[in-house]
Amino acid sequence: MSDAPITIALVGNPNSGKTSLLNQMTGGKDSVGNYPRVTVDVKERELTFDGRKLMLADLPGIYALTSQSAEELSAREYIMAGHADVIINVIDAGNLERSLYLTTQLVEMGKPLLFALNMVDEVESVEGKIDVQALESMLGAPVLRTSGKHGDGVKALLSAAISIFNAGQAPARSFVHYDAHLEEAVQRVQHLVQENHAAEDAREQEGSRWMAIKLLEGDIEMMRDEQEHQHLLELVRRECYDLSHGHGMACESMFADARFGHVHGIISEAVQRSDKLRNRYRATRVLDTLFINRVLGIPIFVALLWVMFETTFTLGEVPMNWIDAGVGAFSDWMAALLPEGLFKDLVVEGMIAGVGGTIIFLPNIVILFFFMALFSETGYLARAAFLMDQVMHKFGLHGKALIPLVMGFGCNVPAVMSARTIESDKARLVTILVNPFMLCAARLPVFILFAGAFFTQNAGTVVFAMYMLSIVGAMGAAVILNRFLFRDADEAFVMELPPYRIPTLRAVFIHMWDKAVTFLQKIAGVILVGSVVIWFLQTFPQEVEWSTDYAARIEQAQAQPESPARNAAIGELQRQRNQEALEKSYLGQIAHTVAPVFTPLEFTWKDTVAILTGFVAKEVVVASYAVLYSQDSESTEESDTLRQVLAGTMTPLVAVAFMVFALFYSPCIATIAAIKREAGGWRWALFSVGFSLTIAYSLAFLVVKVGGALT
């Protein structure tokens, strides 16, 4: 077995099923969805197949090989750099015309290539037969039937890719037949390209025809790369001038017309349409009549979201209680097992309290992403984007921003990255900056805790309201940014609507599994570390100058005859001692220093601690409360749960103010890093922190003052 892996690149349109195929090949669980642009960056996965090491690269979904978008440029540069030994062009059998348009350009690149006719089983069951042999003959390379949904044809596809690599050269090409004048121009430019790049290797020479076509199409990146060959650029300009004057249309349009004509000819020869196609179109029209209806569409969208959040809370309550009881029993067992001392306190009051206080929200995360998977896999999410397009334009957001914003419900980091699909720099920047306002899964435990503590009877509705508020907040932030920072003209948006599909259990499971694992990884990482740090800061220093001699007073009370009043007095003294110890700890000193900033919001110093730890990751907010109140005698296992204890520390109005602040205040560290990377520097990352803190503080202040005046 050779040690050098064979690199195989998966190239195809958005939503063509590349990532599903990759998951089938590798057994991976990368996110997939029935909407475009799930993959916005190159993903590489290693695999050993048939004794060979393979490196599979899932490139961003693209429609063409131009340099007009970040995804197209990223995919093109990966191929041009020679990273891929073999290219698998994933063709969506349900969108042959669109897929083959990209195929014609890949063929012209001259790279070793084969084709995966994906989702062909779905298409042939309703639309008609596709003659694979005819398609293979016309494309000049192997075509294999595959199903990313069921994994059919995956092994044959990998075997074929290895065979092409072993052959050492690309199969015979079948190029598009251009107009005679256009073909002559291509050959003249190609000849000069070969002369200019004569010193380069054979692989580069094979791509000379593709380079010639790109130059004649006026590709900006290609023209820039050839700046040192002015005589070549002069020939290109002269050829384009002659062709456009001779044919009455731009040179680029002539290439596009020829390609679409070529594709139309291929489809006419290879596809036999079925009457079932009409029934599928009819079903799609009926569903779209409801889901993207101008009057009914948005109420249906809001109703579906309400059902999702209500179910997330009410159904999740049952397993939450099971986990809560299990954590309590484990904590009691460890407390009885370990000897008295600091190590026992660290394990029971630090690690178990912090981790256990957060892990109980795992069922809510899983249920939420079950619904998100259904929306994504059925194709409804793309329709929601289409539906909200006009609404978003009114707030100054680009229509393409909806997918990143919806992804923000899961995690702001990939959501910020997915904004790179927006071509306009300023529209992309606005989307990046408002994305942290979307209620991510990390914040969900905070709202479940507070809604259950202060609004027990309407907890699901309160969580739903917070999600709605996050959307309104993002829209409002976009208005502010467009009003004061960005004033570019609005751009048109074309949203591709995929066909409705019945989601597979595997796809739904992958969504749920991915989010559950991410949540558990955070618990085992940042939350565990955060819990230990908080425990340390609130436990030390051990030597405290007490305001009164608690030990003597407790001993004096214990000397009294046994009675309820005597026990209550001892309990009160212990509570006062613990409270004073906490306030004089390192954590108390830090919190008391910062707390005056939050005094107008009526937050206590313990709330301040939770806010400060939330800068690292929002899940740590709940863990902080769990650790803080685990040392309070009123929150021990013998009395109340964290939720009940928390309900006694603030009014419902202040609780609402805290939830509003937690919803909008600074992104977590990982999101700040993503903003810095995607926005091009620390300037916008720091602006995002300051902007969100200002919005959060202002809104929380309004809640407290206006709510206080009305009550």
Side-chain angles (χ1 to χ4, degrees):
M1 184 175 68
S2 171
D3 290 334
I6 303 172
T7 301
I8 301 173
L10 300 177
V11 185
N13 289 162
N15 205 31
S16 61
K18 293 184 289 83
T19 306
S20 295
L21 277 178
L22 182 72
N23 286 339
Q24 292 287 355
M25 291 172 179
T26 63
K29 297 179 176 60
D30 288 322
S31 294
V32 296
N34 189 13
Y35 56 87
R37 298 184 174 89
V38 176
T39 305
V40 296
D41 206 350
V42 178
K43 294 179 182 175
E44 293 185 328
R45 299 285 183 270
E46 288 186 346
L47 168 71
T48 300
F49 177 80
D50 201 18
R52 294 301 302 262
K53 289 183 180 178
L54 306 179
M55 175 67 77
L56 300 173
D58 183 13
L59 305 191
I62 54 176
Y63 294 109
L65 288 169
T66 68
S67 55
Q68 295 178 357
S69 72
E71 308 108 291
E72 290 175 354
L73 195 56
S74 172
R76 194 175 86 172
E77 287 179 347
Y78 188 93
I79 299 171
M80 289 178 63
H83 295 314
D85 297 309
V86 180
I87 296 170
I88 295 179
N89 176 203
V90 181
I91 297 174
D92 179 357
N95 286 289
L96 270 181
E97 185 171 6
R98 190 191 62 195
S99 293
L100 290 174
Y101 185 80
L102 172 64
T103 299
T104 59
Q105 297 170 72
L106 287 169
V107 168
E108 285 168 341
M109 292 191 82
K111 304 290 184 184
L113 180 70
L114 74 158
F115 305 98
L117 190 61
N118 200 32
M119 297 180 277
V120 66
D121 52 339
E122 293 180 30
V123 174
E124 290 190 335
S125 65
V126 291
E127 297 188 14
K129 298 294 292 182
I130 298 177
D131 188 338
V132 174
Q133 287 187 335
L135 203 57
E136 190 171 286
S137 173
M138 287 182 281
L139 294 176
V143 177
L144 290 97
R145 302 160 64 94
T146 60
S147 169
K149 191 174 181 180
H150 303 294
D152 300 337
V154 167
K155 292 183 179 178
L157 190 66
L158 291 174
S159 297
I162 294 173
S163 297
I164 288 178
F165 174 79
N166 290 336
Q169 60 182 8
R173 305 281 95 169
S174 178
F175 296 121
V176 175
H177 298 290
Y178 294 119
D179 169 90
H181 296 142
L182 195 57
E183 182 63 36
E184 290 169 2
V186 169
Q187 291 180 8
R188 282 192 289 270
V189 174
Q190 181 184 5
H191 179 71
L192 197 49
V193 167
Q194 288 174 338
E195 285 186 0
N196 289 332
H197 296 271
E200 297 176 6
D201 60 27
R203 179 169 289 185
E204 291 293 334
Q205 288 293 315
E206 289 173 1
S208 59
R209 177 180 174 83
W210 182 76
M211 289 179 62
I213 292 171
K214 284 293 149 191
L215 287 168
L216 287 167
E217 286 180 327
D219 188 279
I220 295 173
E221 288 292 322
M222 197 67 72
M223 300 284 276
R224 187 180 298 140
D225 291 345
E226 296 297 321
Q227 278 298 316
E228 62 182 27
H229 301 133
Q230 283 299 316
H231 57 300
L232 172 61
L233 297 183
E234 179 56 33
L235 174 63
V236 170
R237 280 191 284 270
R238 192 168 62 247
E239 295 287 357
C240 287
Y241 179 84
D242 292 343
L243 286 167
S244 59
H245 279 74
H247 293 262
M249 62 191 305
C251 200
E252 182 181 2
S253 300
M254 293 179 67
F255 281 107
D257 277 0
R259 288 192 182 116
F260 277 119
H262 186 72
V263 168
H264 181 71
I266 292 175
I267 293 175
S268 299
E269 290 291 330
V271 180
Q272 296 177 348
R273 299 290 184 189
S274 164
D275 291 339
K276 292 181 180 178
L277 182 60
R278 287 195 292 272
N279 295 331
R280 182 171 183 173
Y281 287 154
R282 190 178 300 118
T284 298
R285 281 198 297 272
V286 170
L287 291 174
D288 282 347
T289 301
L290 290 173
F291 290 139
I292 58 176
N293 184 282
R294 289 181 181 277
V295 177
L296 299 175
I298 290 182
I300 290 175
F301 176 55
V302 174
L304 289 173
L305 288 180
W306 182 84
V307 169
M308 177 173 72
F309 295 126
E310 182 68 16
T311 307
T312 296
F313 191 88
T314 54
L315 188 61
E317 186 78 8
V318 178
M320 275 180 68
N321 291 334
W322 295 343
I323 298 175
D324 196 21
V327 170
F330 181 68
S331 179
D332 290 343
W333 180 72
M334 289 297 294
L337 181 68
L338 295 174
E340 293 295 331
L342 282 177
F343 180 72
K344 174 185 174 181
D345 293 345
L346 169 64
V347 173
V348 176
E349 297 174 357
M351 299 168 70
I352 296 179
V355 170
T358 310
I359 200 172
I360 63 171
F361 299 104
L362 178 62
N364 305 99
I365 302 292
V366 172
I367 294 171
L368 175 69
F369 281 94
F370 167 76
F371 280 95
M372 293 292 286
L374 287 184
F375 292 160
S376 166
E377 290 295 314
T378 56
Y380 178 74
L381 193 57
R383 272 134 183 111
F386 174 80
L387 188 68
M388 296 297 292
D389 178 44
Q390 288 189 344
V391 176
M392 295 180 69
H393 275 278
K394 291 178 181 175
F395 289 93
L397 277 168
H398 194 284
K400 286 182 181 177
L402 185 70
I403 296 297
L405 293 183
V406 171
M407 290 178 70
F409 283 144
C411 179
N412 292 139
V413 174
V416 167
M417 292 174 61
S418 67
R420 65 179 61 168
T421 60
I422 300 172
E423 290 82 1
S424 164
D425 290 341
K426 291 184 177 178
R428 183 170 61 252
L429 192 52
V430 171
T431 304
I432 289 172
L433 293 175
V434 304
N435 208 293
F437 291 115
M438 302 304 289
L439 199 164
C440 65
R443 292 182 173 100
L444 183 60
V446 180
F447 301 117
I448 292 175
L449 173 65
F450 273 70
F454 295 94
F455 310 99
T456 308
Q457 300 302 319
N458 302 294
T461 302
V462 170
V463 174
F464 168 72
M466 296 309 297
Y467 272 93
M468 292 298 100
L469 182 61
S470 75
I471 296 172
V472 172
M475 298 298 170
V479 170
I480 294 172
L481 292 172
N482 282 290
R483 174 70 177 81
F484 295 103
L485 291 180
F486 310 115
R487 296 173 183 273
D488 268 7
D490 210 359
E491 293 183 355
F493 165 53
V494 178
M495 181 71 201
E496 177 191 341
L497 297 182
Y500 288 104
R501 292 197 185 103
I502 298 175
T504 63
L505 286 176
R506 174 184 169 81
V508 174
F509 174 77
I510 285 175
H511 273 278
M512 296 163 61
W513 173 265
D514 182 54
K515 299 305 175 186
V517 168
T518 302
F519 185 67
L520 291 174
Q521 287 174 338
K522 284 190 175 182
I523 287 178
V526 67
I527 291 174
L528 179 60
V529 173
S531 299
V532 171
V533 170
I534 294 167
W535 174 85
F536 175 83
L537 290 175
Q538 73 172 16
T539 303
F540 291 92
Q542 292 277 286
E543 300 299 327
V544 175
E545 185 176 342
W546 302 106
S547 60
T548 184
D549 190 349
Y550 290 108
R553 294 180 61 185
I554 291 174
E555 186 177 355
Q556 186 178 13
Q558 288 173 336
Q560 299 296 319
E562 178 80 19
S563 70
R566 172 253 194 193
N567 295 337
I570 293 174
E572 176 60 19
L573 285 169
Q574 289 174 334
R575 190 194 69 78
Q576 290 179 11
R577 182 179 59 184
N578 292 340
Q579 186 68 26
E580 187 172 342
L582 198 55
E583 291 187 20
K584 292 182 176 178
S585 66
Y586 294 132
L587 187 64
Q589 294 174 41
I590 295 171
H592 279 295
T593 303
V594 181
V597 176
F598 296 103
T599 300
L601 306 183
E602 300 184 19
F603 297 165
T604 67
W605 68 272
K606 291 184 179 180
D607 303 322
T608 304
V609 170
I611 289 170
L612 293 177
T613 55
F615 277 97
V616 178
K618 295 298 179 284
E619 297 98 328
V620 187
V621 172
V622 173
S624 299
Y625 273 122
V627 174
L628 283 169
Y629 288 110
S630 72
Q631 291 198 351
D632 191 321
S633 63
E634 293 182 356
S635 60
T636 59
E637 292 297 322
E638 289 75 23
S639 56
D640 295 322
T641 65
L642 173 62
R643 189 181 297 173
Q644 291 168 320
V645 172
L646 191 62
T649 63
M650 63 177 76
T651 66
L653 180 64
V654 176
V656 172
F658 186 89
M659 286 194 287
V660 169
F661 189 87
L663 175 61
F664 293 121
Y665 89 104
S666 176
C668 66
I669 289 177
T671 304
I672 292 172
I675 293 173
K676 180 254 178 184
R677 184 172 60 249
E678 298 298 320
W682 282 111
R683 183 168 65 106
W684 288 113
L686 295 176
F687 174 83
S688 174
V689 174
F691 183 54
S692 57
L693 277 173
T694 304
I695 295 287
Y697 197 96
S698 302
L699 291 179
F701 185 79
L702 280 177
V703 169
V704 170
K705 296 306 175 187
V706 175
L710 295 176
T711 56

